[in-house]
Amino acid sequence: MKIRVPASTANIGPGFDTVGIALNLYNYFELKESEENATLADKAFNYFYKYIGKEKPKKSVSIIKSDIPQSRGLGSSANLIIGGLVCANVFEKNILSDEELLNLACKVEGHPDNVAPALLGGMVISTMKNESCFYNRFELSEDIKFIALIPDYELSTKKAREVLPKEISRNEAVENISNTAMLISSLIQNKYEGLEMFLKDNIHQPYRKKLIKDYDLIMSLIEENNFYGGYISGAGPTIMAIASNESPMTDNFLVVLNRMNLKKLKMNVDNEGYKIL
Ligand code: HSE
């Protein structure tokens, strides 16, 4: 039994802690005979057995192939949590539903916006209410591409959350609400023009950008290339550009990316979520 779990990009600008999209970049897992307990996938595996009230088998979760860079804003921790939970669930003949797995994953991760798309695929709008995760899931077109510009350094979510203000003004809050509503409805309806305006955020990006080297330069390159827009993927430091299939990448764009040591990964949405191979 092998399990494949997708990466994810969260927030998508204004949808802080609420919107996430699964991407076709994967980690692969299987169970092995061992009592090691080293990773977050093992922690989730153990948590599953605690939840179902059964003794854990003498197994641990092995990450057999890892394509998702860690602590870069591409949902690597959510991916490990889903990997561990799904390995346990498949081993226990699918005793838990996806809804139950999602609730467990949210408890381990603390917020739903990466674990939900990693589990279910597509774009997932999610929220925690009374310890339960509520969500709506949408499939997105492969006509839009997600171009991740990944720096060579890590940024922990904890550190990136510490810089956020506790309060914002009413005008800023209203702008975030309308931008999130426009962003989600535009993506569902394949209406990409104007996306750049709806990616504007007042809750986290203005504060996190100082943690990202060359943020302004990277965002201006995205603008120059006529992509649909750019945003900080999850807590960063990866910046994500949304582009059409035909969006050209100018020589200048590629040269500057190289000079800044940014790795470029062009991805599609993954509409499947985890998969048993
Ligand atoms: N919504 C989370 C954040 C995603 O922005 O902090 C990162 O885990």
Side-chain angles (χ1 to χ4, degrees):
M1 171 197 72
K2 289 185 177 57
I3 312 282
R4 186 183 88 172
V5 182
S8 52
T9 175
N11 301 330
I12 330 293
F16 183 69
D17 278 359
T18 306
V19 187
I21 298 173
L23 300 168
N24 68 339
L25 178 73
Y26 303 99
N27 283 346
Y28 298 79
F29 304 86
E30 69 182 8
L31 287 180
K32 67 174 180 201
E33 302 291 328
S34 144
E35 295 227 59
E36 261 175 58
N37 254 297
T39 67
L40 194 51
D42 289 319
K43 184 178 167 194
F45 186 77
N46 299 348
Y47 195 68
F48 176 97
Y49 279 95
K50 211 167 147 196
Y51 177 78
I52 64 167
K54 190 171 167 182
E55 198 184 331
K56 185 180 93 67
K58 291 189 178 18
K59 292 189 181 292
S60 71
V61 183
S62 173
I63 304 159
I64 47 179
K65 184 167 182 270
S66 171
D67 291 336
I68 306 173
Q70 278 183 22
S71 298
R72 299 296 208 286
L74 292 168
S76 59
S77 58
N79 178 285
L80 297 184
I81 293 167
I82 297 300
L85 292 175
V86 171
C87 277
N89 201 35
V90 172
F91 189 69
E92 294 299 333
K93 306 195 166 36
N94 295 314
I95 184 174
L96 298 187
S97 65
D98 281 350
E99 277 67 26
E100 287 171 297
L101 290 180
L102 182 56
N103 277 328
L104 289 188
C106 288
K107 290 206 174 93
V108 183
E109 169 94 326
H111 49 87
D113 49 339
N114 284 106
V115 286
L119 182 75
L120 305 163
M123 173 171 72
V124 187
I125 318 304
S126 56
T127 183
M128 296 297 290
K129 302 276 179 215
N130 305 323
E131 307 256 307
S132 289
C133 182
F134 291 81
Y135 68 87
N136 287 316
R137 178 186 169 276
F138 302 89
E139 300 211 341
L140 294 187
S141 161
E142 290 196 358
D143 288 347
I144 49 163
K145 305 294 164 195
F146 293 84
I147 301 173
L149 306 175
I150 310 168
D152 58 1
Y153 57 89
E154 300 186 353
L155 175 57
S156 79
T157 298
K158 186 171 176 286
K159 186 172 170 203
R161 287 181 91 87
E162 277 167 7
V163 298
L164 306 185
K166 294 216 166 9
E167 290 173 7
I168 60 169
S169 72
R170 184 171 69 184
N171 282 350
E172 289 173 321
V174 169
E175 191 182 27
N176 259 66
I177 293 167
S178 51
N179 281 353
T180 307
M182 290 304 296
L183 174 78
I184 294 167
S185 50
S186 299
L187 289 174
I188 294 169
Q189 295 180 65
N190 303 337
K191 279 168 65 177
Y192 307 121
E193 299 309 325
L195 221 50
E196 190 187 343
M197 289 183 292
F198 310 139
L199 287 167
K200 180 168 182 280
D201 158 73
N202 302 315
I203 296 178
H204 68 113
Q205 295 201 160
Y207 309 96
R208 285 176 166 169
K209 68 181 195 180
K210 56 178 179 275
L211 303 175
I212 301 175
K213 221 172 122 212
D214 298 320
Y215 174 90
D216 289 324
L217 178 57
I218 299 168
M219 290 304 269
S220 63
L221 278 174
I222 289 174
E223 208 171 302
E224 271 170 35
N225 262 268
N226 292 319
F227 293 147
Y228 293 133
Y231 64 92
I232 298 176
S233 184
T238 292
I239 293 180
M240 192 72 81
I242 302 185
S244 78
N245 209 9
E246 293 82 41
S247 297
M249 289 189 207
T250 61
D251 289 345
N252 181 43
F253 181 71
L254 297 171
V255 168
V256 181
L257 290 190
N258 252 342
R259 218 169 37 218
M260 292 191 291
N261 268 337
L262 288 172
K263 191 174 157 198
K264 171 174 65 62
L265 263 185
K266 189 174 181 181
M267 294 172 281
N268 283 329
V269 61
D270 167 297
N271 282 314
E272 274 186 292
Y274 78 83
K275 193 170 172 181
I276 301 162
L277 303 172

